[in-house]
Amino acid sequence: MTETTITAVLVGKVAAFGPPGRTSAIAKFPVDGPRAVGPEGFLDDEQADRRVHGGPDKAIHHYPLDHHPAWRDELGGEVPLLGQPGAFGENLATLGLTEADVCVGDRFRAGTALLEVAQARQPCWKLNHRFAVPDMARRVQTTGRTGWYYRVPEPGRIGPGDRLTLVERPYPQWTLARLLHVLYVDTLNREALAEMAALPVLAQTWRTLAERRLAQGVEDWNKRLNGGD
């Protein structure tokens, strides 16, 4: 049974960020006790652009601290955020789980809440500004060190030190690592894309992405990775 301890729970408010006139709530800060969580995420957390962040399929973002040593090796020791929970704008930070260990549709008990893995993260240009690394979003995508999102089937309270325990795994063949490989490496694997499009627990936006790619080919990633509306 997959289980680990939640190192940190983090929330943030919308603030000015990046180019003039832009805002974000990517800066998340640790809380010192349990926080209420519902279908839209932690009740005291915010997202700036609700077109692409937040909502039931992106209620909680989880990023593994396990990835930080590799980032430090690649980027050097000058990036002050590395090693800190919240560096990637996540709500949950842990050690012991990565995209290779987690599957689409996995259900985890966290504190008194129940969480369900809905999708991996599609990195965007805000990571470039967050880390002051011009191609950080593309690096996150290329390495598959993206983190993932949960929906919240059962609201409750989650705090640092709570256990995160796998209670159900309906699709063991669909690790997040495999999902990311199909999206960004084996991009026109039609059999895998058809499977993705039919996965009932996968976020609807990603099922639609798979359907569109089957019909039209690989989408343009540049706007998401480099910025712009």
Side-chain angles (χ1 to χ4, degrees), residues 69-115:
W71 286 123
R72 188 175 288 109
D73 287 345
E74 292 176 23
L75 300 175
E78 313 82 44
V79 182
L81 290 171
L82 292 179
Q84 300 179 26
F88 288 82
E90 71 268 24
N91 301 113
L92 298 181
T94 63
L95 277 169
L97 284 180
T98 72
E99 296 79 3
D101 308 307
V102 175
C103 301
V104 177
D106 278 1
R107 287 191 162 200
F108 288 89
R109 182 63 64 182
T112 61
L114 184 67
L115 311 181

Side-chain angles (χ1 to χ4, degrees), residues 6 107-115 154-155 163-167:
I6 297 171
R107 287 191 162 200
F108 288 89
R109 182 63 64 182
T112 61
L114 184 67
L115 311 181
E154 294 180 14
R163 299 298 288 171
L164 184 71
T165 304
L166 180 68
V167 297

Side-chain angles (χ1 to χ4, degrees), residues 26 52-53 58 61 63 71 88 119-128 135-147 149 180 183-184 206 221-227:
I26 195 171
V52 292
H53 297 115
K58 298 180 181 178
H61 180 224
Y63 197 83
W71 286 123
F88 288 82
Q119 63 174 82
R121 179 185 191 165
Q122 277 196 298
C124 76
W125 61 271
K126 291 183 180 180
L127 290 172
N128 303 340
D135 63 344
M136 188 65 182
R138 190 171 294 275
R139 288 172 183 255
V140 169
Q141 177 171 297
T142 300
T143 60
R145 299 195 290 260
T146 64
Y149 287 103
L180 291 162
L183 278 181
Y184 301 131
W206 280 38
W221 301 333
N222 286 319
K223 184 183 293 186
R224 170 172 55 82
L225 295 174
N226 299 324

